[in-house]
Structures are given as C-alpha cells and as structure tokens.
Amino acid sequence: MGCGVNMGKQKKTRKYSTMKRMLSLRDHRLKEKDRLKPKKKEKKDPSALKEREVPQHPSCLFFQYNTQLGPPYHILVDTNFINFSIKAKLDLVQSVMDCLYAKCIPCITDCVMAETEKLGQKYRVALRIAKDPRFERLPCTHKGTNADDCLVHRVTQHKCYIVAAGDWDLKGRIPEVPIIYISNHRCNIERMPDDYGAPRF
C-alpha cells in the first residue's frame, strides 16, 4: 500500500551575474610600489590667519571712483518703487529728475515687466506706468525670471546704473551702487558721490 506524499516543487535560486572583486589600492597584498600611499593630515596652526574668498568688486563701483556714472543717468526701476511712487502720488520720471538735478532715463528689464504683469488687475496702474514710452526696455539674457536677481546681476555686470528700489531686501543685496528710494513724498538718494546729484534730505 503506497502512501501519497505531496511533494512540493523545489525553489530554484536565480543566479545573478557576479562581479569580479577588485583589490583595494591600499591592500597589503599589493607590492609596496603599487600601493596607494595614505594621505597625511596637515596639522592646522591655530595662530595662523584664516583666509576666505571675497568677491572682488571693480574699483569703478565705489563712490567717486565710478567714472561710468554721469548724466544722463540710467535708472533701473523695481516693481515696488513704481507702486510706492503711485502711493506717494509722484510722477516717477519727474520726481527722479528733481532728485538728481539732471536728465534721467528710467530703464525697466523684462523680468521686472513680467513681475508687474503677474500682479494682476490690482496693479494695472503700475503696469501702465511701466509701459510708458519714456521708459527704456532692457532685454534679459540670464536664466530665471526673478526680478531682484535680474537687477543685482545687471548692476554687477554694468556699472553705469542707479537703482530705484522700494524693497529693503533688494537694497541689502546690491553692491556699492547709488540707490533711489521714496520717503516723505519725495525721492531721496543714498551712496551717491558728492560730485553728482542732489543732496540727501
């Protein structure tokens, strides 16, 4: 009498391709000349001065040494500055000219124009001012569409601009370049060489 034994199928283990094991270059089995020498840690002198890299700005950026700055002034306008000029009921072009006592050409970049357009119907007056024919339109060739990054990039590349900014964060990011801002219902300027422009009140 045979007993029925239920035999299960044997599981086949899959063979994966095995990689050849390579000796480490520091392995003791290698000849001494073929071995990689261990790196020696240099002891740092605590009394030594620490060096750090600081981006060097050209000398023409600094105050009276900026020979590229002169009338007619090219003013890079920020979106917030347009909004603040509307709130203060100022004619942007005329108030900037009154501040500098010279002819001014307001410039608006593609990024600033795009940012103003994105703000929608609430800021339609600011958009109308930005499209004023007296404004010079500057095309952008850099990556990204951030308006603040755009202005910082342009000021760093070209030293002939004054920045009209209403944003304190933007003011902190701009290197030593004259900045126009609005206070007490008029335009004021800071970081301007004494030889040019109106005195600050």
Side-chain angles (χ1 to χ4, degrees):
M1 187 179 172
C3 56
V5 180
N6 203 6
M7 297 289 287
K9 282 185 182 179
Q10 280 187 329
K11 284 185 180 178
K12 286 183 181 178
T13 53
R14 214 182 259 180
K15 286 183 180 179
Y16 293 98
S17 58
T18 53
M19 275 182 71
K20 288 182 180 178
R21 291 179 114 189
M22 300 212 29
L23 280 175
S24 170
L25 291 173
R26 289 198 180 89
D27 200 291
H28 67 277
R29 288 173 286 182
L30 288 173
K31 288 179 183 176
E32 203 166 316
K33 61 177 182 179
D34 298 331
R35 250 184 258 167
L36 188 73
K37 290 176 183 176
K39 288 180 182 178
K40 290 180 181 178
K41 287 185 179 179
E42 291 180 6
K43 289 183 179 179
K44 289 181 180 179
D45 186 12
S47 62
L49 290 168
K50 288 180 182 177
E51 290 181 8
R52 62 192 183 100
E53 284 187 17
V54 177
Q56 194 172 5
H57 296 296
S59 59
C60 67
L61 257 179
F62 292 91
F63 306 123
Q64 69 265 32
Y65 299 108
N66 193 347
T67 52
Q68 296 178 23
L69 193 66
Y73 296 108
H74 288 77
I75 317 291
L76 277 177
V77 183
D78 179 33
T79 314
N80 287 328
F81 188 83
I82 299 172
N83 292 333
F84 289 149
S85 69
I86 295 164
K87 283 180 184 176
K89 296 179 181 176
L90 293 172
D91 179 352
L92 194 147
V93 180
Q94 190 58 49
S95 58
V96 168
M97 284 171 69
D98 291 345
C99 176
L100 292 167
Y101 300 150
K103 187 186 176 183
C104 298
I105 302 164
C107 304
I108 193 154
T109 64
D110 288 346
C111 294
V112 174
M113 184 67 85
E115 187 181 63
T116 314
E117 285 170 355
K118 281 177 190 172
L119 292 171
Q121 278 293 104
K122 193 178 176 185
Y123 295 93
R124 62 185 180 277
V125 181
L127 184 61
R128 201 183 309 151
I129 290 168
K131 288 180 177 176
D132 192 306
R134 293 176 292 177
F135 279 59
E136 188 181 313
R137 186 77 179 263
L138 301 174
C140 295
T141 53
H142 60 85
K143 290 180 180 178
T145 55
N146 188 296
D148 289 1
D149 291 346
C150 172
L151 293 176
V152 173
H153 174 77
R154 193 169 284 273
V155 165
T156 313
Q157 293 293 317
H158 310 285
K159 317 301 184 296
C160 58
Y161 294 110
I162 294 172
V163 181
D167 189 0
W168 287 106
D169 294 334
L170 176 62
K171 285 180 190 179
R173 287 178 62 194
I174 291 170
E176 302 300 326
V177 168
I179 290 175
I180 294 176
Y181 61 97
I182 293 170
S183 73
N184 299 327
H185 295 273
R186 57 163 290 150
C187 285
N188 287 324
I189 190 158
E190 62 181 32
R191 302 183 192 162
M192 190 68 173
D194 297 334
D195 301 341
Y196 305 118
R200 189 179 161 204
F201 293 100

